[in-house]
Amino acid sequence: MNIAVLGAMWGDEGKGHITHYLSTKFGWVVRFNGGANAGHTIYRDGKKFVHNLLPSVDFRNPNVKAFLGAGMVIDPEQLLKEVIEAEREYPGVSKRIYVDPDAFVVMPEHKEIDKKTNVHIGSTHRGIGPAYADKIGRRGIRIQDIIKGKHVAGELHVDSLFHMGVNFKHTMELDKEFKNSQILFEGAQGILLDINHGIYPYVSCSDCTVGGIHASGFNVEVSRVYGVAKAYTTKVGEGPFPTELHGKAADNLRELGGEYGATTGRPRRVGWLDLPALRYACRKGGITNLIVTKFDILSGMEEVPVCTEYEKAPMCSADFFDVKPTYTNIPGWTDCNDIPQVAPMLSAIEQGSGVEVTYISCGTDAKDIHMV
Ligand code: IMP
Ligand code: MG
């Protein structure tokens, strides 16, 4: 069975943590979109790791391989850094890392252009927009161009990756391997940042929905599409955020949740769970099941406010501008590991989103993830 783990909202929902946990049961973990704008945080043996480009694979599973797909834009220097770090922890692991030569390259100038032109979006300035603009404008440079000897920045890094044992292979070359294995597709960012269905123009530039998997050349069935959401909401960057908190209330939640960007260190905007937005994201993103994280952060609250409706249910991304959220207070919990205590929150989420909650997470350790 192939599955996907996608960000249901604005990213940073804990996809890395969930993917790392689930990856022990899979043969392949595939990143199919985005670039080093992503910051996937993983905790292993009490240590914290952040992957920007590498899938959130638990390489302790000796059978798992990582694949960076054609839908990505890859900064070779950053990838080399991450592979060197992975090698330090797991010598020889490079041979289990694969890159699709059809993926496009983020060049140093893309990052420079990003800094000058995308400040109003709140971009991470990792060169993502300009790299995708070159791709769509049919003047982009792919990894295969570097392999074939096109002399551009990044050439030395790709060469080093090759000599370390990283594989550069197209999906068609691996067709049999993919068919005989189980694949976990790890999305980057979240549905509300999707280039087609996110809250335009406050979006990233890649396909964050289930459609991104097929767009990156994987013609396989995906049986389950997990959307990851937090028990509250966060966002980095500009644009509408209907349930945003301000002032002291925001500071408190931000501190409790440790809500600072994994890639940029920016303080994240924080607010309550937004069910109309989650319902929209589940429909647009192809989400079949939900995984809700960070329940522990809200432990001890007598009641948890949740936005259950807007004046008008959003039908398209333009409907997120100037909405008026209505809140319902859900009975709180003191210990989220005690599932009956969180049952009212789970039913509110299922009713509001129209999708079943399958797992919740109450902390950064694998043992904190519970099937519900
Ligand atoms: P860009 O993709 O770096 O151009 O950023 C565009 C928007 O998406 C900005 O609001 C970023 O903060 C946001 N964004 C991009 N990647 C992530 C992510 O991995 N997590 C959360 N927000 C992101
Ligand atoms: Mg992140």
Side-chain angles (χ1 to χ4, degrees), residues 135-151:
K135 168 181 172 171
I136 301 299
R138 296 171 293 193
R139 51 180 183 265
I141 291 167
R142 289 170 296 179
I143 297 282
Q144 60 176 286
D145 297 324
I146 297 184
I147 294 170
K148 285 180 190 151
K150 194 162 186 170
H151 296 286

Side-chain angles (χ1 to χ4, degrees), residues 11-13 15 38-41 262-263 268:
D12 307 319
E13 300 95 346
K15 293 180 291 294
H40 294 179
T41 308
T263 302
R268 292 179 183 142

Side-chain angles (χ1 to χ4, degrees), residues 67-361:
F67 190 86
L68 284 77
M72 292 184 70
V73 286
I74 296 174
D75 173 353
E77 184 178 4
Q78 174 64 27
L79 181 58
L80 180 60
K81 252 190 233 160
E82 290 183 40
V83 172
I84 289 172
E85 199 175 303
E87 270 291 335
R88 224 176 271 140
E89 211 189 345
Y90 303 106
V93 80
S94 302
K95 293 185 189 65
R96 291 198 267 150
I97 298 171
Y98 290 68
V99 178
D100 193 325
D102 281 349
F104 281 76
V105 180
V106 174
M107 310 286 285
E109 56 265 34
H110 290 139
K111 291 186 257 186
E112 290 311 311
I113 299 168
D114 218 3
K115 277 180 208 151
K116 287 191 199 122
T117 54
N118 288 317
V119 177
H120 62 296
I121 301 295
S123 164
T124 61
H125 301 317
R126 296 301 175 102
I128 306 306
Y132 278 113
D134 276 355
K135 168 181 172 171
I136 301 299
R138 296 171 293 193
R139 51 180 183 265
I141 291 167
R142 289 170 296 179
I143 297 282
Q144 60 176 286
D145 297 324
I146 297 184
I147 294 170
K148 285 180 190 151
K150 194 162 186 170
H151 296 286
V152 293
E155 165 184 36
L156 291 176
H157 303 117
V158 170
D159 207 44
S160 304
L161 287 164
F162 184 77
H163 284 106
M164 286 175 79
V166 171
N167 306 274
F168 293 88
K169 281 197 194 294
H170 296 276
T171 46
M172 281 183 78
E173 294 174 77
L174 296 166
D175 244 4
K176 257 207 200 114
E177 282 213 48
F178 289 145
K179 289 244 155 65
N180 295 329
S181 185
Q182 303 203 69
I183 311 173
L184 191 170
F185 294 97
E186 180 185 26
Q189 289 80 50
I191 309 297
L192 299 177
L193 290 171
D194 178 79
I195 184 67
N196 293 302
H197 304 292
I199 304 178
Y200 194 87
Y202 300 101
V203 293
S204 190
C205 301
S206 67
D207 294 312
C208 307
T209 74
V210 69
I213 295 170
H214 302 290
S216 67
F218 283 85
N219 185 18
V220 296
E221 192 185 340
V222 183
S223 310
R224 237 176 218 205
V225 182
Y226 289 106
V228 189
K230 280 176 185 158
Y232 51 97
T233 306
T234 63
K235 171 173 172 55
V236 274
E238 303 305 315
F241 183 172
T243 62
E244 183 169 17
L245 289 166
H246 298 279
K248 257 221 165 94
D251 294 343
N252 286 344
L253 187 53
R254 185 179 305 110
E255 288 313 311
L256 274 174
E259 297 297 350
Y260 293 87
T263 302
T264 58
R266 288 181 289 181
R268 292 179 183 142
R269 297 162 69 187
V270 298
W272 301 123
L273 184 58
D274 183 339
L275 292 174
L278 185 58
R279 174 179 279 269
Y280 170 88
C282 288
R283 281 286 302 280
K284 289 286 190 172
I287 289 166
T288 61
N289 298 70
L290 283 169
I291 301 177
V292 187
T293 61
K294 293 208 144 178
F295 263 83
D296 52 318
I297 304 305
L298 305 183
S299 288
M301 286 178 68
E302 215 160 283
E303 290 184 316
V304 176
V306 166
C307 167
T308 39
E309 56 183 344
Y310 302 161
E311 267 176 325
K312 174 179 166 286
M315 292 295 149
C316 66
S317 71
D319 289 346
F320 286 93
F321 289 79
D322 298 324
V323 297
K324 287 196 182 67
T326 304
Y327 293 92
T328 303
N329 288 328
I330 309 296
W333 51 89
T334 51
D335 178 6
C336 51
N337 297 291
D338 181 15
I339 304 305
Q341 286 194 35
V342 296
M345 184 67 162
L346 296 181
S347 3
I349 296 172
E350 292 185 343
Q351 207 185 331
S353 67
V355 173
E356 165 191 316
V357 179
T358 306
Y359 292 95
I360 67 164
S361 163

